[in-house]
Amino acid sequence: MSTSDGNGAVAVDRVGNQPGRGAWLHPAPDCLQAAIRRRAFARALRISGSPDVSGVEEYFDHQDRLAAPGNRTGSEEHEHTVKSR
């Protein structure tokens, strides 16, 4: 995640080339919900207030729809970098 326009929005940076501060997030919906509940994005990105994580939630929803049930194993999952926009 990184902040480039100062609006506090958070986005997934799959390639890892967006400017700004980043944080690693495991691609499991439970991990996303835990990060939101713990307010981990604001701490990891060193931003004040509650960032808009709707872009990350949409990304996770989209990934869940693409993945066939039972095809994802722990060995095939990869962490993603999330950045604030």
Side-chain angles (χ1 to χ4, degrees), residues 4-81:
S4 59
D5 64 2
N7 67 0
V10 176
V12 174
D13 181 10
R14 293 193 64 189
V15 181
N17 62 1
Q18 289 182 356
R21 186 166 182 82
W24 290 103
L25 178 65
H26 192 263
D30 293 343
C31 293
L32 172 63
Q33 294 308 315
I36 292 170
R37 185 178 60 252
R38 294 176 42 232
R39 298 184 178 115
F41 292 128
R43 272 195 319 276
L45 300 175
R46 297 182 185 167
I47 56 177
S48 60
S50 296
D52 176 14
V53 295
S54 60
V56 179
E57 291 173 320
E58 289 174 13
Y59 175 82
F60 272 68
D61 289 342
H62 186 289
Q63 292 300 312
D64 283 343
R65 281 183 262 139
L66 291 177
N71 284 349
R72 294 182 66 172
T73 63
S75 62
E76 294 176 0
E77 292 180 352
H78 302 285
E79 291 182 334
H80 298 290
T81 303

